Amino acid sequence: MALLQIRRYPDPVLAKSAAPIAEIDDEVRTLVDNMVETMYAAPGVGLAGPQVAVLRRVVVIDCGGEEDPQLIVAINPEILDRDGESYEEEGCLSVPEYYAKVKRSSWVRVRYQNIDGQVIEMETGGLLAVCFQHEIDHLEGKLFVDRLSSLKKGIFRKKYIKILEQQQEQL
Ligand code: NI
C-alpha cells in the first residue's frame, strides 16, 4: 500500500468529472487500498478519486470515527433519492483549514457497488448522508466551497489565499 498525494484547490483536476468504473480489477483494488490508507493517514472522513488525481468514480468514506470505524468503499455511487434539508459545517482534505456550513439534503438513498462488485442500496441520514453528497460532488468536479453563496465564496477566496501563503512560508 502507498500514500497518495492529495490534490488541493485550485488544482484543475478537482474540477473535472470522473468516469465510471466498468470492471473492478486489480488496478481498482490497489487504488482503493491506497485511497483508504491515504484517508486514514490524513486523517479524513472521506476521499474521492479526483482528489488523488484519478478521474474514476470511486469514493471511500468512514464517518464512524476512531472508536467505531465504518469503512464504506463505494464504486460508481449515485444518489437515487433525497429529502429534507441539512446545514452542517464541512471541510475537505483538498481545501485545507477551511470550514463552512453547506446546504444539503438531510436524507439520501444511494446505490453503489462495493469492492466485490455487489450492488448496495442504502438509505441514510446525518453525517453519512452529508458525506455521500460531498464525495459524490467530487466525482462531478464540485467542491463544497462551490456550493457557498457568492458572498461567502468571496470571503473563502480571501481567507484561503492567506492559508496557502502561510503554508508556503512553513515549507
Ligand atoms: Ni472533499
Side-chain angles (χ1 to χ4, degrees):
M1 296 213 280
L3 288 180
L4 305 170
Q5 192 202 346
I6 297 173
R7 300 304 180 97
R8 292 175 166 190
Y9 177 82
D11 189 316
V13 77
L14 295 168
K16 291 184 176 155
S17 62
I21 290 175
E23 192 195 345
I24 301 167
D25 54 15
D26 283 347
E27 196 189 329
V28 171
R29 281 186 282 270
T30 300
L31 169 66
V32 165
D33 284 348
N34 291 341
M35 284 176 64
V36 169
E37 194 184 0
T38 303
M39 173 181 72
Y40 285 134
V45 296
L47 190 66
Q51 292 183 275
V52 291
V54 177
L55 290 171
R56 306 190 75 185
R57 301 187 81 82
V58 54
V59 307
V60 297
I61 293 172
D62 192 336
C63 293
E66 258 175 65
E67 308 252 306
D68 182 26
Q70 291 172 18
L71 178 64
I72 293 172
V73 173
I75 292 162
N76 301 321
E78 52 185 325
I79 293 170
L80 301 178
D81 204 1
R82 56 172 79 231
D83 200 7
E85 275 181 29
S86 108
Y87 190 54
E88 296 295 327
E89 191 168 82
E90 295 184 28
C92 180
L93 293 174
S94 294
V95 189
E97 295 181 47
Y98 187 80
Y99 303 88
K101 286 193 169 186
V102 182
K103 275 186 201 163
R104 303 275 188 191
S105 303
S106 56
W107 173 93
V108 291
R109 188 153 57 88
V110 294
R111 180 165 60 201
Y112 59 87
Q113 285 166 273
N114 67 13
I115 195 66
D116 299 316
Q118 288 172 300
V119 176
I120 310 284
E121 260 191 47
M122 185 195 279
E123 291 180 13
T124 188
L127 180 58
L128 186 54
V130 170
C131 267
F132 266 112
Q133 291 168 83
H134 178 119
E135 298 309 326
I136 291 172
D137 265 0
H138 274 300
L139 303 180
E140 302 301 338
K142 201 163 207 176
L143 300 177
F144 79 98
V145 291
D146 295 323
R147 292 193 175 274
L148 301 177
S149 67
S150 53
L151 178 69
K152 283 189 176 168
K153 260 183 216 164
I155 296 169
F156 158 69
R157 285 198 192 98
K158 279 184 199 153
K159 276 194 186 169
Y160 191 69
I161 287 166
K162 283 189 188 146
I163 290 167
L164 289 185
E165 282 170 355
Q166 278 168 1
Q167 288 184 344
Q168 284 292 327
E169 284 165 18
Q170 283 164 11
L171 289 177

